Structures are given as structure tokens and as C-alpha cells.
Amino acid sequence: MDAGPMTAWVQSIPSRWGKGFRVLCSDRRLTAQDIALGRARRVDGIQLLAGAARGPARDRLRVIEELAPIRYLELRSPGNASLPEGLSVTLETLVLTGKVDQRLAPEGLTALRSFTGPAQAISPGEFGSQLRRLHILGWQGFRVADLPLGPRVEELEVDGAHQRISLTGLDLPRLRKLVINDVEIDSLDGMQGAPNLIHLGLHPSMKNDVSVLRELDLRPLDGARQLRWLVVGRQGRLTHVDAIAGLPNLEQVLAYESFLPSEHHEAPWAAVIPDSKNIRRLLRSAGEAHHTARRTAR
């Protein structure tokens, strides 16, 4: 830390699980003037963007200790920097993006309520009972149930890496929101383990390839009595829609025209998206592949 001119500012960031945060923000390395500002404003959070967290020394983030206790921490590309040990008992929200070389023991972050970061930043284990929101970036696993889920997770978002995943083995009775991006899903089997789900978003890989098309059976959602919103991207035809059509809280099913059976297009909860050129191209390719397979079988 140098004693140069002030380069930081303070802003308020709300929290959905308690008191909000007063955060010292900077896109350059913190100066002594910045730290003085943080102390004067009694900040309990730090946001270091752009190159503010970079540097050659592994202990370069020790400056955080000068503003302890810290409840909110957001770092862009911290690389190999080590987090101060004292954060483990006070940190409630942790956001790590960009290049992250360190690995955190999830069970050691005892106060953490929200984590956003790359999968490789987490050591094997499980988050504690305080965790409410988990957003995993760049995950390359298979079973969602193998993520370091805490027992009281309410929101789970997974950004994959074009792989195929399985939802089997989920046991998240408190889960209210599940969003899965950039993956392919063969089946919703396993969603029975999230009976209190309110929002389900499935956004598969945007490849111009018929491999992303699936028959998505909705029967595993027939027990999700709290379900309000179902958003399905370029996944495939929805089948057994009657399994959710009678759910008492259903407000919207968002799907492409060709993927939502026509008998449900006029339902009060149906939000039908006109097929795009890419969707029509995929459907045409799928039809051609089907006819080719039949000719070959003969």
C-alpha cells in the first residue's frame, strides 16, 4: 500500500439476509488515503476491481486487515493472493471472479451466507449452515449434488462448461431458486429433492448442434407445489406438461414455440417465445438426422 492520492469511493450494497454493507470500492491499488476514507466511513466491505487486487506479493491483501471486521469482499483476479485468516469468522459475502489460484476450505468460512466464484477456488468439503446462496462459475463436474452444498442453501446457480450434467441425488429441501447455465440436461430426475422450488431456469449450451435438443420430461416437478417460474432455453421439447399445469402457484412457463406442446400455448401461465432462425435450423437438422437414421436402419 502506498500513500498516493485517494482512488476509492464508498457505496452501499444491500443484503437479502440481514444488514446491508458499506463497501470501499477501487479499481486501483488501495492507498493510505483510501484506507483513511474507509475508516472514517466505517466500511465493513471491500470491492477491488480491474487490477486493484493484483501484484507480485502473496500477502498483498493484508491491507484488508486494516479495515477489519470485513463482512463483504469482492475481488477481481486475485491470482495467488492469500486471504487474511481473520476473515473466516466475519465474512458473509464473498465474490471471486477472473483468475483465482487459491483454494478455500468451505467449512472454514463459518459466517458465509453468499459465495460467487470459480469451482477450482473451493476445496472438497461442504459450506456451513449459514450459506444461503451459491453461484459456481466454470464448473466442469457431472452431478450437481456433488457441489459443496450447505444444508440451508436457498439459491443455487451453476455456470458450466458445455458439459452434460445430472440432477440426481439432490437433497435441498430449502432450495427456492435453481439456475443452470451452459450445460445439457438429459433428465429432471432428482428435482424431487427440492420440493420447495419457486424458480427453475435451464439454459443449455448455445451450440448450433442437434445434440442440445432433448425430450425434457416434467414429471419430476409434479411435487414442486411452490413452483412459480420455469424458464427453458434451447433444450428441447417439453413432455408431460400436465404434471405441472395444475400446480397452484404456477405463474409462467417460458419456452420456445416448438418446445411447448401446442395444447398448452393458450394456458394462462404459458409465455411462448417465437422460434428463432437458430431454433428452426436446429429443428430442421434434427429432422434430417432422424430421417437419415431411419434410412440407414433399413
Side-chain angles (χ1 to χ4, degrees), residues 33-48:
Q33 295 292 328
D34 297 330
I35 296 299
L37 171 66
R39 287 173 175 165
R41 299 289 296 275
R42 297 183 179 180
V43 300
D44 57 4
I46 296 178
Q47 181 188 68
L48 300 181

Side-chain angles (χ1 to χ4, degrees), residues 28-158:
R28 286 176 285 178
R29 188 174 180 181
L30 292 177
T31 68
Q33 295 292 328
D34 297 330
I35 296 299
L37 171 66
R39 287 173 175 165
R41 299 289 296 275
R42 297 183 179 180
V43 300
D44 57 4
I46 296 178
Q47 181 188 68
L48 300 181
L49 304 177
R54 298 174 188 167
R58 292 197 63 181
D59 65 349
R60 59 186 176 275
L61 296 180
R62 287 190 60 185
V63 63
I64 294 172
E65 295 177 337
E66 299 187 39
L67 292 169
I70 294 297
R71 298 169 51 232
Y72 179 100
L73 182 61
E74 181 174 352
L75 302 174
R76 170 71 181 174
S77 294
N80 67 346
S82 301
L83 294 181
E85 293 183 3
L87 286 175
S88 60
V89 295
T90 65
L91 198 59
E92 297 178 15
T93 294
L94 177 60
V95 180
L96 301 174
T97 58
K99 182 176 174 55
V100 181
D101 297 330
Q102 60 185 314
R103 291 175 66 86
L104 305 172
E107 62 275 5
L109 298 167
T110 55
L112 200 66
R113 295 189 175 192
S114 177
F115 174 81
T116 297
Q120 68 268 21
I122 310 172
S123 298
E126 183 177 283
F127 283 102
S129 61
Q130 295 300 314
L131 194 77
R132 298 293 186 273
R133 181 178 185 274
L134 180 62
H135 184 180
I136 299 293
L137 309 174
W139 182 59
Q140 298 183 32
F142 177 64
R143 286 199 338 143
V144 176
D146 292 336
L147 289 167
L149 305 168
R152 301 180 68 183
V153 169
E154 297 173 3
E155 297 184 12
L156 174 60
E157 184 167 355
V158 180

Side-chain angles (χ1 to χ4, degrees), residues 154-157 175-179 197-200:
E154 297 173 3
E155 297 184 12
L156 174 60
E157 184 167 355
L175 190 67
R176 297 166 64 83
K177 182 176 182 179
L178 174 61
V179 177
L197 197 69
I198 291 176
H199 178 116
L200 175 60

Side-chain angles (χ1 to χ4, degrees), residues 192 218-225 243-244 247:
Q192 298 91 335
L218 297 186
R219 284 179 291 184
L221 296 175
D222 63 0
R225 305 288 292 175
I244 67 168
L247 294 179

Side-chain angles (χ1 to χ4, degrees), residues 167-170 175 178 180 187-197 199-200 202 220-221 223-224:
L167 297 170
T168 59
L170 283 182
L175 190 67
L178 174 61
I180 300 179
S187 169
L188 291 178
D189 284 338
M191 291 307 304
Q192 298 91 335
N196 291 304
L197 197 69
H199 178 116
L200 175 60
L202 305 174
L221 296 175

